[in-house]
Amino acid sequence: MVNYGILQLADGDQRGKIGGLEAWQWMLGVMVVPALLYGLLSFAIPESPAS
C-alpha cells in the first residue's frame, strides 16, 4: 500500500521525482524504518529459559 501510494505521487513512474529523489529511493527508504525498528526491538526479547 505504501509503495503504491508513493508510485501514485510520482505519476506512476518509479523513476519519477518526489522531493528530489526518485520514487524507488523513497520506496526503499520507507521500508528501512520498520526493519530498523524490528532489529532494535529484537534486543529487548528475553532469551528462552534453559531447560
Side-chain angles (χ1 to χ4, degrees), residues 3-49:
N3 286 346
Y4 178 78
I6 291 172
L7 194 60
Q8 293 306 309
L9 287 173
D11 295 327
D13 184 14
Q14 69 181 3
R15 305 225 7 132
K17 297 284 186 178
I18 304 172
L21 296 174
E22 291 184 4
W24 71 266
Q25 293 169 317
W26 279 103
M27 291 178 192
L28 181 63
V30 167
M31 294 300 117
V32 166
V33 174
L36 284 175
L37 185 63
Y38 179 84
L40 291 173
L41 289 176
S42 69
F43 290 111
I45 299 172
E47 292 184 25
S48 61

